[in-house]
């Protein structure tokens, strides 16, 4: 009697023809073509962030090919060709209309990897990730597919060196010179800021999310901090990844076994402790969704608990760009992220029993790594932190009834005396009008202005562009004139942004959120004692209703959209406009938006209190 494989071969010669052909071209055993598939995927795009990915994917693919075979000590699997995703460059596109595609790149990555994993039926995947949106889209698709997988960061770019001052510089240095009149200086710094290749090197969004992915369990911790050009990424890590993947396959450990409520909470706490990017508050809800949770605020962590942790429990433990001095390569030189993760665990701030892609628990992985103690200059101990409170805060109030607004407290350089900012609204419908004003008439901005940039949310942009160009110019202007100017938006920020900047204000202006009703000169109060942002004038119900009626009339006269929304002139932008959910749910594209309507403000009295803060 013929076995099932022989029957399959006999009955499906058309399907087998290409399968045999691929196996021959990849130089793998033809007898394995009906075994479960394994392969490598990578992120690609149009910037230095992605240059190192292809080589690493090629090395891992070759290592996999050498490990595949019919011997008992080999992976008896079918090898598939490497696959790559595409995304735009945040660094190149910031300040342009094309920045609308940045967050959409996360969604496109999710879609393309979903198609590849599902249609190819991969039972084992190694992913090499770069920049900041594609890694989240990659992990989201891996979680949806839910078969054994492991991730490796492509790694950071090394800092440039200012040839005049000999100080380390990076892309943020060059952005903050945008308002300078010294064209020679701007060109020199631009030429010197980004040598080599790799993703942004500070604790911007890329390294915030790589740290998140490591702590959540999907990437070995010691593979996060080495630079993209570090030889370990070619020499040592490929076979380590294959060993771990082999173990995950044999034990049937799936991504949703690893990415759980407890591991996501660990990753959020570490994001606070590194003064991480505000973008984590878009990506964490998206990853929670992909892991099977309906709502981040319901199922993972409420706003009240988040703020309690940030205010009272979790300090900032690294002295890193953009709010500090050092880059990820400096953290690597002091032992890597495992140094502060271990210290946070020892302080009782993390759950060490969560499973990781190494097959060990978080505690066991850290014990095997046996990291150094914090050096006290680059990495600080929990007992003597770099900053006493966590780097992120989420805000409610009458301008953010969804409780979605987020402030990177670690990056604030002034304006919050007694935890309160009181200023006047300066309105811009769209970032381009703000950039024009900053370029042509910067002197119009006064101390304690609160710039309002609206119609840049997930629906309004569409695509929720980040505003590194704007925030960098404002930071430079404030330092030069010794004034405080804030920025509040329904869009988002780069992880490299600093200053009094509040993003993700929701509901967004394009769907009639309160931010759409602010008028020039309104009183804006940011109160971190209450964790609220309020417009005094909108506290009056008659004023609110009158302004909302005027807004509704403009929408009615413009075929259902306010005339200030951005143009959706491609199918992809239109898809984002038609299906984007609120920032509180991750600002992603979902087919039935009605299932993702925002909840009213959620409270939770089950606050996190560490069992032993200083073990």
């Amino acid at each position: 009697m013929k076995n099932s494989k022989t029957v399959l071969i006999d009955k499906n010669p058309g399907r087998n023809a290409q399968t045999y052909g691929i196996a021959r071209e990849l130089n793998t055993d033809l007898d394995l073509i009906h075994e479960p598939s394994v392969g490598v995927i990578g992120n690609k795009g149009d910037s230095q962030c992605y240059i190192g990915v292809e080589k690493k994917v090629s090395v891992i693919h070759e290592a996999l090919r050498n490990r595949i075979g019919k011997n008992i000590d080999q992976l008896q699997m079918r090898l598939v060709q490497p696959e790559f995703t595409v995304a735009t460059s945040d660094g190149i596109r910031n300040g342009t209309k094309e920045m609308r595609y940045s967050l959409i790149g996360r969604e496109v990555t999710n879609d393309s990897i979903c198609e590849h994993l599902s249609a190819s039926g991969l039972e084992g995947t190694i992913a090499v990730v770069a920049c900041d949106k594609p890694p989240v889209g990659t992990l989201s698709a891996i979680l949806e597919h839910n078969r054994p997988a492991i991730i490796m960061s492509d790694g950071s770019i090394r800092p440039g060196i200012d040839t005049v001052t000999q100080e380390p510089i990076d892309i943020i240095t060059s952005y903050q010179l945008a308002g300078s009149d010294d064209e020679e200086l701007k060109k020199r710094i631009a030429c010197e800021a980004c040598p080599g290749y790799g993703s942004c090197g500070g604790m911007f969004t890329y390294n915030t999310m790589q740290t998140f992915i490591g702590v959540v369990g999907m990437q070995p911790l010691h593979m996060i901090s080495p630079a993209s050009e570090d030889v370990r990424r070619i020499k040592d890590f490929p076979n380590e990844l294959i060993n771990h993947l082999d173990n995950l396959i044999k034990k049937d450990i799936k991504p949703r076994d690893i990415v759980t409520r407890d591991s996501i909470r660990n990753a959020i706490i570490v994001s606070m402790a590194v003064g991480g990017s505000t973008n984590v508050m878009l990506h964490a809800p998206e990853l929670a969704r992909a892991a099977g949770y309906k709502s981040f605020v319901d199922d993972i962590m409420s706003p009240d608990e988040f703020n309690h942790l940030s205010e009272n429990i979790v300090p900032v433990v690294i002295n890193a760009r953009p709010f500090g001095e050092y880059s990820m390569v400096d953290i690597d030189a002091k032992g890597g992220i495992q140094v502060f993760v271990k210290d946070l665990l020892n302080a009782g701030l993390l759950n060490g029993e969560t499973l990781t892609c190494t097959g060990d628990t978080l505690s066991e992985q850290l014990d095997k790594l046996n990291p150094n103690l914090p050096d006290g200059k680059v990495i600080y101990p929990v007992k003597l932190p770099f900053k006493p409170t966590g780097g992120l805060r989420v805000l409610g109030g009458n301008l953010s009834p969804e409780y979605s607004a987020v402030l990177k407290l670690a990056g604030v350089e002034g304006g919050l005396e007694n935890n309160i900012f009181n200023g006047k609204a300066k309105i811009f419908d769209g970032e381009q009008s703000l950039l024009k004003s900053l370029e042509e008439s910067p002197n119009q901005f006064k101390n304690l202005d609160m710039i309002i940039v609206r119609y840049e949310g997930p629906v309004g942009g569409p695509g929720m562009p980040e505003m590194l160009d704007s925030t960098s110019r404002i930071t430079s202007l404030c330092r030069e004139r010794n004034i405080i100017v804030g920025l509040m938006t329904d869009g988002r920020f780069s992880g490299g942004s600093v200053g009094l900047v509040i993003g993700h204000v929701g509901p967004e202006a394009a769907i009639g959120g309160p931010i759409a009703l602010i008028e020039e000169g309104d009183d804006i109060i940011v109160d971190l004692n209450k964790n609220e942002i309020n417009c005094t004038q909108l506290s009056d119900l008659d004023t609110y209703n009158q302004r909302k009626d005027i807004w509704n009339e403009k929408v009615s006269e413009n075929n259902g959209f306010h005339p200030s929304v951005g143009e959706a002139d491609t199918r992809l932008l239109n898809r984002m406009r038609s299906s984007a959910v609120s920032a509180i749910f991750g600002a992603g594209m979902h087919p039935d938006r009605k299932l993702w309507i925002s909840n009213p403000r959620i409270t939770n009295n089950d606050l996190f209190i560490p069992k032993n803060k200083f073990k």
Side-chain angles (χ1 to χ4, degrees), residues 160-161 169 174 184-195:
I161 298 294
I169 57 176
S174 53
E184 185 177 335
L185 172 65
K186 287 194 287 189
K187 182 176 181 180
R188 180 174 64 78
I189 293 299
C191 288
E192 296 173 354
C194 297

Side-chain angles (χ1 to χ4, degrees), residues 23 65 78 161 164 177 204 308 312 352 398 409 451 480 510 517 560 576:
R65 191 188 66 76
R78 172 184 175 244
I161 298 294
V164 173
L177 289 174
F204 313 150
H308 170 72
N312 304 304
N398 69 13
L409 193 56
I451 296 169
E480 181 183 319
L517 310 182
M576 185 71 175

